[in-house]
Amino acid sequence: SLAMDRRNGVAMGATSKRRFRKMTEKKEGSRADIYARITDRIVADLENGVRPWIQPWSAGHAGRRITRPLRHNGEPCSGMNVLLLWSEALARGFTSPTWMTFKQAIELDAHVRKGESGATVIYASRFTRTETDGNGGEVERDIPFLKTYSVFNVEQIAGLPDHFYRQLAPTIDPIQRIDHADRFFANTGSVIRHGGARAFYAPSTDHIQMPPFETFRDAASYVAVLSHEHVHWTADSRRVGRDLSRYAKDRSERAREELVAEIGSALICADLGIVPELEPRPDHASYVESWLTVLQGDKRAVFQAAAHAQRAAAFLHGLQPAEAAEREAA
């Protein structure tokens, strides 16, 4: 049988099909290597007792504004790239949040200093290819793809415009900053109840339970936990929609959802300019063990968790009146 290649309009014989299959397998293998390489790095961090999604909060930010990693145009990074660049910045001692490609530096009449090595980030997307099915009909196939490229921190680049090297403005007054967080969560419309010694989201009653504010070490710790529970809250089918039906029964599914909430909390705290808690929660030791099991068995798990976390954070931002007004204006 013949398969039609829509890109050049010629029929593919057996030899061409084998060549095409090998090319596809090579791409699939390359993509698997990316998942494995990045997952192995995160597993190594966890085995050393470090949760990579909160690394930036533990060093190098005293008196500096907390933020997500930024692109050369000032736009914040998202998803998995946030974790990768936070981890890279801490490991290499960078305090600037801004990153760009070699080409982007040249376009700004700057240059990467000799001997500097880039950090790996990923680009994930998909394209549609038209194929011929066994009955001779045309079908469209959605093909996901993943590739990596290198970026450099502005501290590795010489000759950039001055504003790239300026210190970010200090954080606003802590009390105002927490007030801002309170407004953020109030705008979500979630039901938050206080009492007891545990923080959790209850799907059956659709409410978030928090220990009394006074029991937390500080306000930032309270916000970090509240962010975590709000990520769980987004799982409801009326919001983002993640299946939590097996959360209580399946340890692996529980670990996956907690990983989503951990990463999502770090994203929200960064967006709010708040330093999350540094002291581990009592349940973190057991979760770390579960995360290691999940990540070692599924090289794509952390990518999926980061994507879910990004969607949850975006949903919560979408409930903010000011941000909704900006989207309408755009």
Side-chain angles (χ1 to χ4, degrees), residues 34-193:
I34 295 170
Y35 288 123
R37 187 167 68 250
I38 293 174
T39 297
D40 288 347
R41 175 170 152 187
I42 292 175
V43 166
D45 283 339
L46 286 172
E47 289 176 337
N48 289 326
V50 176
R51 285 169 286 154
W53 44 89
I54 65 166
Q55 280 186 338
W57 319 125
S58 60
H61 284 279
R64 300 290 298 275
R65 190 171 71 195
I66 300 300
T67 180
R68 295 196 196 193
L70 304 175
R71 300 184 179 93
H72 73 293
N73 58 4
E75 293 182 357
C77 296
S78 62
M80 193 67 203
N81 286 334
V82 177
L83 274 64
L84 292 174
L85 294 179
W86 271 346
S87 178
E88 193 74 24
L90 184 69
R92 300 171 68 171
F94 299 139
T95 57
S96 173
T98 306
W99 303 76
M100 66 182 69
T101 64
F102 189 91
K103 182 180 179 181
Q104 287 164 347
I106 292 176
E107 290 172 348
L108 291 167
D109 295 323
H111 65 276
V112 176
R113 294 188 182 91
K114 186 177 180 180
E116 295 285 0
S117 59
T120 298
V121 291
I122 61 172
Y123 176 73
S125 188
R126 56 186 62 236
F127 66 93
T128 301
R129 184 172 66 215
T130 302
E131 299 179 344
T132 303
D133 62 20
N135 299 319
E138 291 187 348
V139 294
E140 290 191 345
R141 184 183 174 197
D142 207 22
I143 311 293
F145 70 89
L146 180 73
K147 65 179 182 180
T148 63
Y149 60 97
S150 294
V151 293
F152 297 84
N153 190 274
V154 297
E155 295 176 21
Q156 300 174 281
I157 302 171
L160 288 169
D162 290 344
H163 71 269
F164 282 102
Y165 303 112
R166 290 194 197 115
Q167 296 268 334
L168 288 173
T171 53
I172 56 179
D173 179 81
I175 298 210
Q176 293 179 354
R177 189 172 69 209
I178 300 304
D179 284 346
H180 172 64
D182 288 342
R183 288 194 298 273
F184 180 89
F185 293 114
N187 287 335
T188 68
S190 63
V191 176
I192 305 171
R193 301 173 186 170

Side-chain angles (χ1 to χ4, degrees), residues 282-298:
D283 53 8
H284 275 153
S286 61
Y287 282 139
V288 167
E289 182 182 347
S290 297
W291 291 332
L292 286 170
T293 301
V294 168
L295 296 179
Q296 288 166 341
D298 180 0

Side-chain angles (χ1 to χ4, degrees), residues 225-267:
V225 175
L226 189 58
S227 300
H228 179 109
E229 301 307 333
H230 270 84
V231 174
H232 287 317
W233 178 79
T234 67
D236 189 277
S237 59
R238 293 166 292 183
R239 298 167 196 130
V240 174
R242 290 188 309 280
D243 185 5
L244 299 185
S245 61
R246 297 182 58 79
Y247 180 91
K249 305 173 185 177
D250 188 317
R251 186 179 181 186
S252 174
E253 290 301 309
R254 185 162 61 250
R256 289 172 188 271
E257 172 63 16
E258 289 300 326
L259 189 58
V260 172
E262 278 270 306
I263 297 171
S265 174
L267 296 179

